[in-house]
Amino acid sequence: MIFVYITCKNKEEAMSIGKSLVTIKLAGCVNILEQMTSIYEWEGNLEVTEEVVIIAKTNESLFNEIISHVKKIHSYTVPCILSIPIQNGNEEYLKWLEAGFKDYHG
């Protein structure tokens, strides 16, 4: 299992992407964290922007499909979509989470 970390321009975009990931069963659960400040260089300029973070919980086998799906609906030219491995967790929660994935076979 992995966390998929995605940044968005605002809560509306994050909600749309998050709902989409859960609805089409690419993620079992999505968390949205508001009011993050990002500092980065883009096209030669130092940028300081407010962003919203999505943390999607899913199976590693779905990561490439998530990248493809998010890139189609995200407003950024180069969206941040990163995977972070989940190494341990509450077994009951992990089983519940796994039941929400696209290719879950019980």
Side-chain angles (χ1 to χ4, degrees), residues 22-87:
V22 172
T23 299
I24 64 174
K25 300 201 177 296
L26 289 177
C29 178
V30 167
N31 301 118
I32 296 175
L33 308 170
E34 295 184 71
Q35 298 181 344
M36 176 187 70
T37 301
S38 295
I39 303 169
Y40 56 93
E41 189 173 308
W42 181 253
E43 297 180 344
N45 297 309
L46 183 64
E47 302 287 337
V48 179
T49 60
E50 298 300 316
E51 291 186 296
V52 176
V53 173
I54 296 173
I55 300 173
K57 300 163 201 160
T58 190
N59 191 298
E60 187 174 15
S61 67
L62 298 173
F63 185 61
N64 287 334
E65 199 170 341
I66 289 171
I67 290 173
S68 177
H69 177 72
V70 170
K71 285 172 76 173
K72 288 178 191 172
I73 60 175
H74 204 292
S75 65
Y76 291 176
T77 305
V78 182
C80 171
I81 310 167
L82 306 171
S83 75
I84 304 165
I86 297 173
Q87 297 185 355

